[in-house]
Amino acid sequence: MGFHNKPSTFVGHVKIKVEDLERSLHFYQEVIGFKLLEQTKTTAKLTTDGEASVLSIEQPEEVVPKEGRTTGLYHFALLLPERSDLANIVFHFIEKGVRIGSSDHLVSEALYLSDPDGNGIEIYIDRDPSVWNWNKGEVAMTVDPLNFEDLLTSGNQEEPWKGLPAGTVMGHIHLHVSELEKTEEFYTKGLGFEVVSRFGAQALFISTGKYHHHIGLNTWNGVGAPSPSDRSVGLDFFTLIYPDEEARDKVTDDLIKIGATVTEEKGIFVTSDPSGNRIYLKV
């Protein structure tokens, strides 16, 4: 549908920190259904198609458990290709005895769970954009109960589960931030996103190309929440994919204009939002 390829700007990859690499690898392969692409003593890259990595995990030296009431990852969200894929992973979770949350957001149907370290995960399927309800530039989203009875009719409980399908992408990321005013300026005037939904004064959702959201931002951990330490379990960085170098160069200029810092690390442009969430800017 064009929301996760050119000309949209979208989240291409997320890297998280964990306490125990082997424990996390078991979870992400056996429970979530990733395949292992690369592994070192402290890191691993995970894939769904055997070629590109959408999630990587690292066990830092002297890592500490996830620090509460801080900024950082609320959840990353894996977008499945078909509704049957969502139904089939529900059957898989039932078989594994995995506890999940769920919601119907009008624009999507979603499952929620956490990894062994408390990193939040959403797994979802989009409804057809033709049924999304837009009003004055904002898309209608809500938190309704998911109709499992209807969802599961599209799956096949008799077939063995094969893991995440190859067409799975990083649909969006949702972040805890310390405040919303400067954050909104950073993501809109700096990174080039548009606000497409607001939940009162506590959360906003932004996208490009009229997607329901590529990034969610909330202050649910408290206004003024501090950044976690570098050794804490949680988000390391996420990557934004721009359509071309011209678009990325404009963004770097716009970030500097609003007082944000952009550095270059091994040929990659890196910035951080006002809450300390690190972002790689790629083409």
Side-chain angles (χ1 to χ4, degrees):
M1 289 182 281
F3 298 124
H4 299 88
N5 47 46
K6 295 181 181 181
S8 294
T9 299
F10 56 93
V11 179
H13 182 268
V14 172
K15 183 179 180 183
I16 57 173
K17 294 172 284 184
V18 300
E19 281 194 78
D20 186 320
L21 183 68
E22 289 303 320
R23 179 181 68 175
S24 293
L25 274 176
H26 180 268
F27 173 83
Y28 279 105
Q29 291 179 95
E30 299 301 319
V31 177
I32 302 300
F34 278 105
K35 299 175 181 68
L36 182 62
L37 186 64
E38 296 178 18
Q39 183 180 358
T40 69
K41 186 177 179 180
T42 58
T43 65
K45 292 183 179 181
L46 300 170
T47 182
T48 60
D49 63 4
E51 297 178 6
S53 173
V54 296
L55 179 72
S56 57
I57 55 179
E58 179 177 11
Q59 179 185 327
E61 290 185 11
E62 300 179 349
V63 63
V64 298
K66 187 176 179 68
E67 297 173 356
R69 311 298 290 178
T70 58
T71 60
L73 184 69
Y74 180 49
H75 63 244
F76 62 83
L78 302 170
L79 175 60
L80 303 176
E82 303 291 341
R83 194 168 189 247
S84 59
D85 298 321
L86 191 66
N88 290 336
I89 203 169
V90 172
F91 289 133
H92 165 67
F93 286 156
I94 292 170
E95 184 179 333
K96 286 280 188 179
V98 176
R99 296 183 63 180
I100 58 172
S102 62
S103 189
D104 186 326
H105 295 302
L106 299 181
V107 296
S108 63
E109 296 173 284
L111 310 175
Y112 295 94
L113 69 161
S114 295
D115 75 4
D117 292 286
N119 293 306
I121 305 165
E122 176 181 345
I123 301 174
Y124 74 110
I125 184 70
D126 278 335
R127 285 200 169 92
D128 193 288
S130 65
V131 303
W132 300 355
N133 184 15
W134 290 85
N135 183 24
K136 296 181 180 179
E138 292 199 14
V139 64
M141 293 192 288
T142 189
V143 185
D144 289 339
L146 183 63
N147 186 339
F148 277 100
E149 185 176 356
D150 181 69
L151 171 64
L152 296 181
T153 61
S154 65
N156 188 341
Q157 192 172 9
E158 304 305 318
E159 285 191 6
W161 190 67
K162 300 176 182 177
L164 293 173
T168 303
V169 298
M170 189 63 68
H172 64 266
I173 192 168
H174 195 151
L175 304 169
H176 290 296
V177 295
S178 60
E179 59 80 54
L180 289 180
E181 185 176 353
K182 291 180 180 178
T183 300
E184 181 175 339
E185 179 187 51
F186 174 86
Y187 281 96
T188 57
K189 294 182 180 179
L191 292 179
F193 287 85
E194 294 181 335
V195 176
V196 292
S197 185
R198 297 180 190 271
F199 279 18
Q202 295 185 330
L204 57 88
F205 299 86
I206 60 177
S207 75
T208 63
K210 293 300 179 184
Y211 191 46
H212 55 72
H213 67 294
H214 289 109
I215 302 175
L217 305 156
N218 75 70
T219 56
W220 297 332
N221 271 351
V223 174
S227 300
S229 71
D230 289 341
R231 295 185 294 123
S232 172
V233 160
L235 179 68
D236 186 356
F237 67 83
F238 67 96
T239 299
L240 290 177
I241 309 297
Y242 286 86
D244 50 46
E245 290 189 6
E246 182 180 357
R248 184 183 60 182
D249 290 345
K250 180 182 185 304
V251 162
T252 58
D253 290 342
D254 290 343
L255 286 167
I256 292 169
K257 287 177 184 176
I258 63 170
T261 300
V262 182
T263 59
E264 191 172 343
E265 300 177 10
K266 298 179 181 179
I268 299 172
F269 292 98
V270 182
T271 188
S272 294
D273 74 9
S275 300
N277 296 306
R278 286 207 309 155
I279 306 163
Y280 285 15
L281 310 175
K282 289 189 174 182
V283 174

